[in-house]
Amino acid sequence: MRTETPRDTDNLLRLATYASTATAVVLIGVKVVAWFMTGSLSVMASLVDSLMDAAASLINLLAVRYSLKCADEDHQFGHGKAESLAGLGQASFIAGSAIFLLMHAAERLNHPQPLQEVNVGLWVMVFAIGATLALLAFQGFVIKKTNSSAIRADALHYKTDLLTNAASIGALYFAASGWPLLDPLGALAIACYILYSAWQIGQEAMQVLMDRELPKEIRQRICDIALTHATVLGLHDLRTRQSGQTMLIQLHLDLDQALPLAGAHQVAKEVEHAIMAVFPQADVIIHQDPRDPARYRHNAEECKDLPEISQT
């Protein structure tokens, strides 16, 4: 099976940002036409959402390009957190669009207006759903290959587009059937959902920026890899975090105190290579602690919430 290289990952990320931006621009164009022809507030809600998508996708495009820059003297851990900053920026844009829609929905509830050319609006929303589904399929592939937080945030608000477009279709249909208040009510529901999506995206970005630990399953996998080495007695002080495409992993290995320095160093390098074979984008730092094998007792508390991870 072919292994993805860093160059493959970089190209996928760039392609995903280009596809997202292009999709947003196309949807803006068709929704502008539909809004002018129908006068529907639900279509306007979907248009505003697409405008926010375009702005967020542009931020993503710039942030991903910056995050892929190599580490330099001032950023020796790389520039990966630019992706999370982009996610935080997206959350702000999306929340702003939701508030804008809430205000207009309230105004339209007080002053209902008849809709025109409803069929045009319906077909535009159907086209928007098809284009969004195609983009989400590609983004899902990229996320699976790269685990990019920026693309994940981008995909999340495109998923909300499916609901906003579906809500717009429903509001247009019922408004044309003699229920005009359902148009602003549909826009109101869309705005509330967009606001909830903004909270989700912002929370995820903040967790990464606050150096949240990697999922327990990944940390346990790291422990299992380290303990497969016959010379390793145990490990402790495992610390992990994510920065863009890079997993930052630090741990202490417990080794026989009789090992010479060169031997302990060699064991640490072998464990490091084993971890990087499974997580090729990882940056691994290992400290070696001397232990007396006859008296060694591993302290499970040092491993946080992980099960006991020693070979004794």
Side-chain angles (χ1 to χ4, degrees), residues 1-2 11 14 16 22 41 48 51 55 57 88 92 133 142 173 191 211 228 234 241-242 264 283 288 292 301:
M1 182 181 293
R2 181 176 179 271
N11 289 337
R14 291 190 179 96
L41 192 59
V48 170
L51 286 169
S57 295
L88 205 58
S92 301
L133 284 172
V142 174
Y173 175 79
D211 291 333
T228 58
R241 60 190 174 97
Q242 187 81 29
D283 184 335
Q288 305 99 48
D292 182 352
E301 292 299 319

Side-chain angles (χ1 to χ4, degrees), residues 3-69:
T3 302
E4 295 292 328
T5 66
R7 179 177 290 276
D8 292 333
T9 297
D10 294 355
N11 289 337
L12 277 175
L13 287 172
R14 291 190 179 96
L15 191 55
T17 59
Y18 296 151
S20 177
T21 304
T23 301
V25 170
V26 170
L27 293 182
I28 286 170
V30 296
K31 288 178 183 180
V32 164
V33 173
W35 177 43
F36 276 112
M37 294 185 70
T38 64
S40 167
L41 192 59
S42 294
V43 174
M44 178 189 176
S46 187
L47 170 60
V48 170
D49 195 34
S50 291
L51 286 169
M52 295 302 102
D53 289 345
S57 295
L58 181 60
I59 291 174
N60 252 8
L61 191 152
L62 298 175
V64 167
R65 289 185 64 180
Y66 185 75
S67 72
L68 294 175
K69 290 176 60 178

Side-chain angles (χ1 to χ4, degrees), residues 51-246:
L51 286 169
M52 295 302 102
D53 289 345
S57 295
L58 181 60
I59 291 174
N60 252 8
L61 191 152
L62 298 175
V64 167
R65 289 185 64 180
Y66 185 75
S67 72
L68 294 175
K69 290 176 60 178
C70 297
D72 55 34
E73 187 175 342
D74 295 325
H75 305 87
Q76 296 197 31
F77 287 98
H79 302 79
K81 286 195 175 180
E83 288 193 25
S84 299
L85 288 172
L88 205 58
Q90 287 185 44
S92 301
F93 273 110
I94 295 170
S97 69
I99 294 170
F100 175 81
L101 290 174
L102 286 171
M103 294 170 58
H104 278 268
E107 180 183 357
R108 183 64 66 86
L109 282 171
N110 290 328
H111 304 92
Q113 297 179 14
L115 303 184
Q116 307 293 328
E117 301 292 342
V118 173
N119 286 337
V120 174
L122 289 172
W123 281 112
V124 165
M125 291 301 103
V126 170
F127 171 79
I129 288 175
T132 303
L133 284 172
L135 176 63
L136 283 172
F138 179 61
Q139 286 181 324
F141 171 77
V142 174
I143 291 169
K144 184 178 180 181
K145 294 292 185 181
T146 68
N147 196 34
S148 168
S149 60
I151 303 302
R152 186 180 293 107
D154 206 33
L156 182 58
H157 67 74
Y158 273 106
K159 287 178 183 177
T160 68
D161 284 359
L162 293 176
L163 292 176
T164 60
N165 292 331
S168 296
I169 289 174
L172 283 170
Y173 175 79
F174 286 111
S177 301
W179 300 81
L181 285 180
L182 286 180
D183 182 46
L185 285 175
L188 190 65
I190 291 170
C192 290
Y193 190 81
I194 291 173
L195 198 59
Y196 172 70
S197 298
W199 178 80
Q200 283 186 305
I201 294 171
Q203 183 187 50
E204 175 68 23
M206 282 298 297
Q207 290 295 330
V208 175
L209 291 171
M210 293 294 291
D211 291 333
R212 178 183 59 189
E213 287 281 348
L214 295 176
K216 184 176 180 179
E217 296 76 19
I218 293 179
R219 291 186 291 131
Q220 186 61 60
R221 179 68 175 133
I222 294 168
C223 294
D224 293 341
I225 293 169
L227 293 174
T228 58
H229 197 290
T231 310
V232 174
L233 299 175
L235 64 90
H236 60 277
D237 287 348
L238 172 64
R239 296 192 296 171
T240 64
R241 60 190 174 97
Q242 187 81 29
S243 179
Q245 299 305 299
T246 304

